[in-house]
Amino acid sequence: MSPSSRARLRAPAVVATALLTLLIGLLGTAPAQAGTGSAAARTWNVLVGEQSKDMAIQGMRFLPGEIWIHQADSIRFVSNSAELHTVSYGKPPLPPTSIANLEADAFKPVGGPLFDPKARWTNSGVIAPPTPGVPTVRTYQLKFAESGTFTFYCILHGQMMNIVVHVRHQGAPLPHSQAYYDRRAHAESRHIIRDGYALMHETMERASATHVFVGAMDDTAMVMRFMPSLDHIRAGTTVTFDMSANQGVVPHTVTFAKLTGPGGKHVDSGTLLPKAGGGPDHFTWTFGKAGTWHYICEFHDDMGMVGDIAVRS
Ligand SMILES: [Cu+2]
């Protein structure tokens, strides 16, 4: 780009700044910070979660996971996956020892839009796309008036999904730009999704026709799939649906809409939880009738967590 075209591009911005200065001068109401040489307050973007295009892999990270900002700056947390997340700080009102408590804590926004580090509990509410039965927000903005270092986390995924926010005095140098964080976020997101698919393939290799894994999770990624999702068996075969590939606490179900058991009730595991979450961590069913039986996870079918059991007589 030639110097003259660069100057032309810059010209409108210069004009706009001059107009603004003139306007402030005319109104006589310059902001308190004007003239001190400090930069204007900025809003930084942080992505909440990440996912593969098919939604099979859900990442449990804030991107970036560490950020440096100035006093009076804000952070806008933006939903980046179908999975539910929160931005939380402090101690939740209810001990997060059950799914019901977790939901009660997560669903209720507390505090903000000005962050108060002395408050016992600050919570965004659930950051996610619109989800049936769950109050959600797409974005959540917090302004930081006090300097210090603050660690926020997602109450639904625990302390391992966290972001460290360094708030520096105005005028102090900041190590990175938004463009840097965006580049890092992109690279880290690709990395997490690659790891998630690797976890999926590993889990598939351990699965068999009589042993279906219900999701998988390590410390960065979740696999929202039944593995295998299409299972061929003979009538009379017992299949175990197993949660043990999930290292963290996540609920799933194995729910058949059209297959009925004794008493005409449809076959449903109810909420399954990994051992760490108190279980029950598996569900077994003996398939008598020939046919192809479709089933879903009631929590994650919108992410494609569905399967079929094909039974031959
Ligand atoms: Cu599920």
Side-chain angles (χ1 to χ4, degrees):
M1 192 187 280
S2 73
S4 66
S5 65
R6 216 177 284 140
R8 260 201 312 279
L9 280 177
R10 210 186 293 131
V14 172
V15 171
T17 308
L19 274 174
L20 191 66
T21 309
L22 185 67
L23 200 62
I24 289 168
L26 284 173
L27 292 170
T29 54
Q33 291 296 328
T36 61
S38 65
R42 295 189 49 179
T43 299
W44 301 78
N45 281 317
V46 168
L47 299 177
V48 182
E50 51 280 318
Q51 63 188 2
S52 58
K53 279 213 176 72
D54 62 3
M55 296 190 275
I57 309 301
Q58 296 287 326
M60 292 172 289
R61 282 280 186 274
F62 292 101
L63 298 174
E66 187 171 24
I67 190 167
W68 284 260
I69 66 171
H70 279 138
Q71 267 179 297
D73 284 359
S74 298
I75 296 179
R76 179 168 44 224
F77 295 91
V78 182
S79 164
N80 194 44
S81 70
E83 175 64 349
L84 314 180
H85 299 290
T86 72
V87 178
S88 308
Y89 184 86
K91 233 180 145 184
L94 296 171
T97 48
S98 69
I99 292 283
N101 281 11
L102 265 184
E103 286 187 352
D105 286 332
F107 288 7
K108 192 165 176 248
V110 176
L114 183 66
F115 173 59
D116 176 7
K118 284 173 214 75
R120 192 183 142 90
W121 175 239
T122 300
N123 184 50
S124 59
V126 174
I127 302 183
T131 306
V134 180
T136 59
V137 292
R138 280 280 194 177
T139 66
Y140 175 64
Q141 194 154 324
L142 268 188
K143 188 182 172 85
F144 292 81
E146 292 182 44
S147 63
T149 295
F150 310 104
T151 302
F152 292 79
Y153 66 102
C154 168
I155 189 175
L156 292 167
H157 296 114
Q159 300 280 351
M160 72 180 179
M161 180 170 169
N162 67 51
I163 173 170
V164 180
V165 178
H166 304 274
V167 185
R168 294 198 161 161
H169 295 289
Q170 282 176 16
L174 298 181
H176 304 301
S177 64
Q178 179 74 56
Y180 170 88
Y181 291 125
D182 291 347
R183 277 198 308 275
R184 284 295 306 270
H186 189 69
E188 205 183 328
S189 179
R190 271 196 321 212
H191 188 81
I192 290 166
I193 287 162
R194 212 167 38 229
D195 280 4
Y197 279 120
L199 174 63
M200 187 168 156
H201 291 135
E202 265 165 46
T203 309
M204 287 278 238
E205 274 173 20
R206 294 194 290 126
S208 71
T210 55
H211 192 159
V212 173
F213 284 97
V214 181
M217 188 202 291
D218 60 16
D219 52 11
T220 51
M222 264 187 298
V223 181
M224 296 294 190
R225 288 293 182 268
F226 295 104
M227 293 162 275
S229 60
L230 174 59
D231 197 11
H232 294 275
I233 55 169
R234 281 198 172 277
T237 305
T238 301
V239 177
T240 299
F241 298 87
D242 180 4
M243 292 283 285
S244 70
N246 296 284
Q247 284 173 30
V249 178
V250 59
H252 295 295
T253 75
V254 176
T255 303
F256 291 84
K258 298 227 168 91
L259 182 63
T260 51
K265 271 178 64 182
H266 68 147
V267 178
D268 190 345
S269 67
T271 300
L272 298 173
L273 285 169
K275 271 222 171 70
D281 72 341
H282 65 279
F283 173 69
T284 58
W285 192 258
T286 303
F287 291 84
K289 253 200 319 194
T292 297
W293 306 106
H294 187 67
Y295 65 103
I296 66 169
C297 166
E298 285 193 314
F299 297 110
H300 304 118
D301 58 332
D302 58 342
M303 297 178 193
M305 190 164 180
V306 299
D308 291 286
I309 306 275
V311 183
R312 276 178 301 150
S313 52

